[in-house]
């Protein structure tokens, strides 16, 4: 039977190819919905903090550079935590780590509004950043396991949920900005976060990704027919990560840099977009908050259409076009003389950046499995969190609009790097034994990672190989 027919049977849950060793598709669907809730909650809470940054800046009396240093606390806390969250996921499972991290994020979001100086703000943001980084790594690890079990490219849908949560959080934040103090608003977000975690947490802990003996498939790519994920439960303890050859590590870093360049823009707009609209274009508090909401809406729309876009254009064209569109949009958003043109620029930037991060992380996973996903995610989220402090320093040295143009420069750099990586491939079947990928699966990964080949061409190739 052709590989493509087997893959379709697995997706539909029919006989002879049920996902993950005969697991009911409905069970995986329930797990997907629960995990989507955590992605949306993460975006909702983070956006709620973002829209109150101007008010907290005024409350603490911080300058732009002081605020940049304080925001570095988020970066430091997140990056340090990301370095060992993967180990925690392997030991305890990604699902329990996700639940605990979500509760900690909800508790820590109330802390910034209780500070009255930039140093105190920086200290509490260390805690907030640690919880944020831990949640993002554990959620993505759980998503990678689920993608492999479902054998469907649904990673973009999780990131779409994050963007949708961010849009809702920013929109509600804008509505209450004039009537609620930052302390009351963020304390309310703590309550929402804890309630959602308490309701969704038991479901995530109860539903684990079914597995069967065998070698690891490449996350984000279809496993070889008949193969199933080999990790216990949801990525739990007992399995050491495989060693990667030097070439594969370099390629993983390459895709991690692409993720970093684009995530830099997400972090910059999240933390400085509202301030740019309010400070440089005299927008009101509600309209300034709507800037990030519009950006998040555009990213949500782009990510929901990501699968169709990849099938039509292929990976290289999607990455290059996305980087170019984001660069042009951010130039308009940063340098526009009116609020409405700046808002249009933010929306165009969101559309351009939408699919670059998920595709880059998925490519790293196809190359190196869970280790590749962890490395690329850490680089990517590091860019998201290191961008705001860099913008703060540049805003003091030059101006905030000029500082925001660096988002356009890095988006263009991501497009150039993606184009230069258009012909990279996963290890050849002869090295499959070293990487843990079956020979047939290695051929499929090598086909899929040829980023200039649209997904429908990949499907035809898989059909012919069968």
């Amino acid at each position: 039977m052709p590989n493509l027919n087997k893959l379709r049977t697995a997706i539909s849950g029919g006989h002879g190819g049920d996902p993950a060793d005969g697991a009911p598709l409905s069970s995986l669907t329930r797990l997907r919905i629960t995990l989507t809730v955590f992605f949306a909650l993460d975006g909702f809470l983070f956006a709620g903090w973002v829209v109150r940054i101007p008010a907290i800046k005024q409350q603490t009396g911080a300058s732009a550079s002081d605020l940049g240093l304080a925001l570095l606390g988020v970066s430091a806390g997140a990056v340090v935590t990301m370095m060992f969250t993967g180990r925690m996921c392997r030991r305890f499972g990604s699902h329990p780590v996700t639940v605990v991290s979500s509760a900690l994020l909800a508790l820590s979001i109330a802390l910034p509004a209780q500070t009255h100086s930039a140093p105190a703000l920086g200290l509490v943001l260390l805690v907030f950043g640690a919880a944020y980084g831990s949640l993002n790594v554990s959620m993505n690890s759980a998503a990678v396991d689920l993608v492999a079990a479902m054998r469907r490219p649904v990673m973009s849908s999780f990131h779409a949920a994050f963007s949708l949560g961010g849009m809702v959080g920013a929109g509600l934040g804008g509505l209450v900005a004039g009537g609620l103090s930052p302390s009351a608003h963020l304390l309310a977000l703590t309550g929402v976060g804890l309630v959602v975690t308490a309701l969704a947490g038991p479901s995530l802990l109860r539903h684990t990704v079914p597995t069967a003996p065998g070698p690891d498939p490449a996350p984000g790519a279809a496993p070889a027919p008949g193969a199933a994920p080999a990790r216990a439960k949801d990525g739990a303890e007992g399995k050491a990560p495989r060693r990667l050859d030097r070439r594969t590590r370099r390629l993983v870093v390459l895709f991690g840099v692409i993720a970093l360049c684009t995530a830099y823009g997400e972090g910059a707009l999240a933390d400085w977009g509202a301030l740019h609209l309010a400070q440089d274009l005299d927008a009101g508090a509600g309209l300034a908050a709507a800037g990030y909401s519009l950006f998040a809406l555009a990213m949500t729309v782009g990510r929901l259409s990501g699968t169709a876009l990849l099938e039509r254009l292929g990976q290289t064209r999607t990455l290059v076009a996305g980087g170019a569109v984001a660069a042009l949009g951010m130039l308009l958003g940063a340098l526009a003389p009116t609020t409405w043109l700046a808002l249009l620029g933010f929306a165009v930037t969101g559309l351009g950046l939408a699919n670059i991060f998920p595709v880059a992380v998925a490519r790293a996973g196809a190359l190196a499995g869970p280790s590749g996903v962890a490395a690329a995610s850490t680089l990517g989220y590091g860019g998201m969190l290191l961008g705001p402090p860099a913008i703060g320093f540049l805003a003091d040295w030059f101006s905030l609009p000029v500082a925001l143009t660096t988002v356009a420069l890095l988006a263009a750099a991501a497009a150039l790097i993606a184009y230069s990586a258009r012909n990279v491939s996963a290890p050849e079947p002869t090295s499959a034994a070293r990487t843990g990928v079956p020979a047939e699966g290695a051929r499929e990964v090598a086909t899929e990672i040829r980023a200039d080949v649209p997904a429908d061409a990949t499907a035809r190739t898989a059909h012919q190989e069968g």
Side-chain angles (χ1 to χ4, degrees), residues 59 67 85 124 138 151 160 331 338 378:
Q59 174 181 302
L67 181 61
T85 299
V124 300
S138 58
R151 305 178 185 180
L331 286 176
T338 66
T378 301

Side-chain angles (χ1 to χ4, degrees), residues 278-298:
Q279 172 182 292
D280 300 314
L281 299 176
D282 297 323
L287 190 57
Y292 181 72
S293 182
L294 185 61
F295 171 76
L297 173 62

Side-chain angles (χ1 to χ4, degrees), residues 231-405:
R231 280 174 290 166
K233 294 185 179 180
D234 55 7
E237 68 275 16
K239 182 176 175 68
R242 65 173 182 260
R243 296 180 63 86
L244 303 176
D245 59 76
R246 184 176 302 175
R247 176 176 176 274
T248 301
R249 286 197 298 268
R250 286 199 299 265
L251 292 175
V252 167
V253 170
L254 183 71
F255 285 107
V257 170
I258 293 175
L260 183 152
C261 289
T262 56
Y264 174 96
E266 293 187 50
L269 278 175
D271 284 1
W272 294 100
L275 191 61
H276 169 58
L277 294 173
Q279 172 182 292
D280 300 314
L281 299 176
D282 297 323
L287 190 57
Y292 181 72
S293 182
L294 185 61
F295 171 76
L297 173 62
M299 290 200 73
T300 302
V301 172
R303 284 172 170 172
L304 288 174
S305 59
T307 299
L309 191 66
L310 285 165
E311 289 175 346
R312 184 172 185 84
L313 299 180
Q315 293 166 11
T316 289
R317 293 186 182 91
T318 299
L319 292 174
V320 173
V325 168
L328 293 175
M330 196 60 238
L331 286 176
L332 176 62
L335 303 178
T338 66
T339 300
W340 295 108
L341 282 177
L343 289 173
L344 175 62
F346 284 7
V348 173
T349 303
L351 287 174
L353 294 180
N355 291 297
I356 301 179
F357 186 95
V359 170
V361 171
R363 289 303 89 218
L367 279 165
S371 298
V373 173
S377 296
T378 301
L379 280 171
Y381 283 113
M384 180 182 291
L385 297 169
L386 291 173
I391 294 291
F393 287 115
L394 291 172
D396 263 4
W397 293 337
F398 303 101
S399 67
L400 184 53
V402 171
L404 288 174
T405 61

Side-chain angles (χ1 to χ4, degrees), residues 102 126 300 400 440 450:
S102 179
L126 278 171
T300 302
L400 184 53
E440 187 173 1
R450 288 295 297 267

